[in-house]
Amino acid sequence: MLIRLDMASATPIYVQLRNQIVMGIGTGALKVGEKLPTVRQMAADAGVNTMTVNKTYQLLKAEGFIEIDRRRGAVVNPVEDTAGVFREKLEGELALLGAEAKIKGMNEQEFLQLCETIFESLSGQTGSLRFG
């Protein structure tokens, strides 16, 4: 998976970068224990400011997707959500998406099938995550 950023998008660059790294972890392209590029290297590869990458890494750390160690750098290490915070976030976002789908004319079966298809596709998207 190649990191691609859309500089014209309304989605902030640090969010785009975060989302692509999370997708890489979710699909298996990034494995637990794998090192991410340094902030400077990621910024150079992506053509963005180091502060943007730093913000992304801090967000990923706060969300529990990576660990940051001064000696080892940023390492993929997703932790379980023992407090249920992620589940609450997921329920809220799914409720909103469900409401939007219903307003746009999608029925429950279509919505559930789409969710299932996307979830299943994550298992089949393995490979290496390339930065740059």
Side-chain angles (χ1 to χ4, degrees):
M1 179 180 165
L2 180 63
I3 294 288
R4 295 183 189 200
L5 303 174
D6 180 357
M7 301 302 182
S9 172
T11 303
I13 299 298
Y14 79 96
V15 174
Q16 292 181 49
L17 186 55
R18 175 252 180 227
N19 292 347
Q20 291 198 24
I21 291 171
V22 170
M23 285 295 293
I25 297 168
T27 61
L30 286 171
K31 309 282 187 231
V32 173
E34 189 171 339
K35 284 183 65 172
L36 294 177
T38 65
V39 169
R40 285 187 183 149
Q41 186 62 54
M42 177 70 84
D45 290 349
V48 297
N49 189 294
T50 57
M51 295 301 288
T52 301
V53 177
N54 190 51
K55 188 172 184 175
T56 300
Y57 281 10
Q58 291 303 318
L59 179 59
L60 289 165
K61 178 183 176 187
E63 293 175 329
F65 292 112
I66 65 171
E67 286 184 344
I68 299 177
D69 181 286
R70 288 186 180 182
R71 292 169 290 178
R72 293 180 14 208
V75 178
V76 175
N77 189 30
V79 294
E80 288 187 35
D81 181 33
T82 55
V85 174
F86 173 75
R87 184 176 183 93
E88 283 183 30
K89 176 185 173 197
L90 181 62
E91 287 175 0
E93 290 179 12
L94 279 174
L96 179 59
L97 287 171
E100 290 175 1
K102 189 174 182 179
I103 292 167
K104 298 293 184 179
M106 184 179 278
N107 67 42
E108 179 182 0
Q109 189 58 39
E110 289 174 306
F111 181 77
L112 293 174
Q113 182 61 51
L114 183 59
C115 289
E116 186 175 311
T117 300
I118 291 169
F119 197 81
E120 287 174 355
S121 75
L122 294 174
S123 300
Q125 294 182 12
T126 58
S128 62
L129 183 65
R130 294 183 8 226
F131 298 97

